[in-house]
């Protein structure tokens, strides 16, 4: 039997196997991560090697540097993941990997590493969408969570409202027509001279400020579930440049707070409207911006007021990690999805 025939057979058998151990790999941006996840729910190890300190020097992720560091780190991350889990490679039932969306060179490191592992272990290779992985972060945060639910996806690459009908059935309700919310946080942080990644720094600064600054901005797309953040980003940048040109001072804390209030209002209002109009009583948050303390606080409040039960990933699973990829990969297998052969390649963009 050749590799592909063997992998297909094993993939079919996994649908009925009592315990399925997945080794998952994530390298779409600047985190090299490998996890071991049992039955989509139990994280045996989740090693994340972050390159933040390297990219901080350049004010953002430098794709070529990210790829090189993934190559440097990935074998060590695998060794550590196996050691922490107490498992051997021979016990792995399948290898899952993020194939997109993300930085092409960075993704390719994970994809090629995964192909090599799957082929040498003669186990199925599962190609996972990064966005679906972010939703999977909730299955390892809440044992009781099951679809259907509404999802607010807020990351550096995506901003969307998704109607999740089943584990692998995703219906896009609305998405950004320009920048993602994470990009907007990072841009505003940069103009304030805060280091990369900007989101957590805005979050921290905003706690010390007041919502007192009015930007020259009106929230667009009022009657749609789509988002637009480029106008707000420009309004904030113009505000700062204006002040600088006039030699006037302003409170960075107040600016961070006022900006964050506008963004979180926009996200909360549209998400709650989607829940109401589609009659959904469960909301799931996904993606790095889901770690924002004010967004979490406001969404909780909106949901309490509207009788919606909210699930937000525990903080370490909000930002990029391999455990979330291993979680959703399990449900890919059950839904007969994701089986890849050795021609698998990376994709910089992937639809919902
Ligand atoms: O999901 P993620 O780790 O990577 C992508 O898939 O893009 O999201 C990264 C984004 C960055 O823009 C980062 O600034 C933002 O998430 N982020 C935050 C916070 N923590 C991370 N934004 C606002 N507040 C935070 N606490
Ligand atoms: Zn991500």
């Amino acid at each position: 039997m050749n590799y592909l025939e063997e992998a297909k057979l094993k993939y079919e058998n996994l649908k009925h196997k009592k315990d399925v151990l997945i080794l998952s790999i994530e390298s779409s941006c600047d985190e090299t991560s490998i996890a071991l996840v049992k039955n989509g729910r139990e994280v045996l190890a989740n090693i994340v090697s972050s390159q933040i300190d390297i990219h901080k020097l350049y004010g953002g992720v430098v794709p070529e540097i990210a790829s090189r560091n993934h190559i440097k780190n990935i074998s060590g991350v695998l060794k550590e993941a196996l050691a922490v889990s107490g498992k051997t490679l021979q016990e792995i039932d399948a290898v899952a990997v993020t194939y997109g969306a993300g930085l092409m060179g960075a993704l390719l490191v994970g994809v090629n590493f995964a192909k090599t592992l799957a082929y040498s272990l003669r186990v199925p290779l599962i190609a996972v969408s990064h966005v679906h992985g972010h939703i999977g972060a909730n299955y390892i945060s809440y044992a009781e969570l099951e679809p259907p639910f509404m999802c607010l996806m807020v990351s550096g690459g995506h901003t969307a409202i998704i109607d999740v009908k089943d584990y692998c059935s995703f219906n896009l309700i609305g998405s950004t027509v320009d920048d993602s919310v994470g990009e907007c946080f990072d841009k505003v942080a940069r103009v304030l001279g805060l280091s990369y990644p900007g989101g957590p720094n805005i979050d921290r600064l905003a706690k010390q400020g007041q919502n007192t600054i009015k930007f020259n901005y009106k929230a667009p797309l009022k009657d749609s579930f789509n988002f637009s953040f480029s106008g707000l980003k420009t309004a904030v940048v113009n505000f700062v440049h204006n002040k600088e040109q006039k030699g006037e001072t302003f409170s960075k804390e107040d600016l961070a707070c006022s900006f964050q209030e506008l963004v979180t209002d926009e996200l909360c209002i549209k998400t709650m409207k989607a829940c109401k109009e589609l009659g959904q009583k469960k909301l799931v948050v996904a993606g790095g911006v889901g770690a924002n303390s004010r967004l979490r606080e406001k969404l909780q409040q909106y949901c309490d007021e509207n009788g919606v039960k909210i699930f937000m990933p525990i903080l370490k699973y909000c930002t990029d990690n391999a455990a979330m990829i291993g979680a959703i990969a399990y449900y890919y297998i059950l839904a007969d999805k994701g089986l890849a052969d050795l021609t698998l390649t990376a994709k910089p963009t992937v639809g919902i």
Side-chain angles (χ1 to χ4, degrees), residues 130 134 155 320 324:
H130 184 77
H134 273 301
S155 73
D320 293 347
M324 66 186 197

Side-chain angles (χ1 to χ4, degrees), residues 40 131-141 323-324 327-328:
V131 174
H132 296 170
H134 273 301
I135 297 173
N138 287 279
Y139 300 133
I140 48 177
S141 299
M324 66 186 197
I328 200 70

Side-chain angles (χ1 to χ4, degrees), residues 155-233:
S155 73
H158 293 83
T159 306
I161 301 174
I162 306 164
D163 185 15
V164 180
K165 294 179 179 299
D166 204 343
Y167 284 102
C168 291
S169 168
F170 309 96
N171 187 23
L172 188 64
I173 302 295
S175 66
T176 180
V177 297
D178 41 54
D179 297 339
S180 75
V181 64
E183 276 176 283
C184 194
F185 265 99
D186 292 341
K187 176 73 192 181
V188 169
R190 200 170 315 150
V191 86
L192 290 181
L194 304 173
S195 67
Y196 172 83
N201 287 323
I202 294 274
D203 194 349
R204 258 191 300 277
L205 206 63
K207 287 197 175 104
Q208 298 149 34
Q210 306 286 325
N211 181 11
T212 52
I213 295 180
K214 298 275 168 278
F215 302 105
N216 183 15
Y217 163 80
K218 230 173 143 192
L221 306 172
K222 271 249 168 358
D223 298 321
S224 155
F225 288 124
N226 289 332
F227 298 99
S228 167
F229 292 109
S230 68
L232 176 59
K233 185 181 78 181

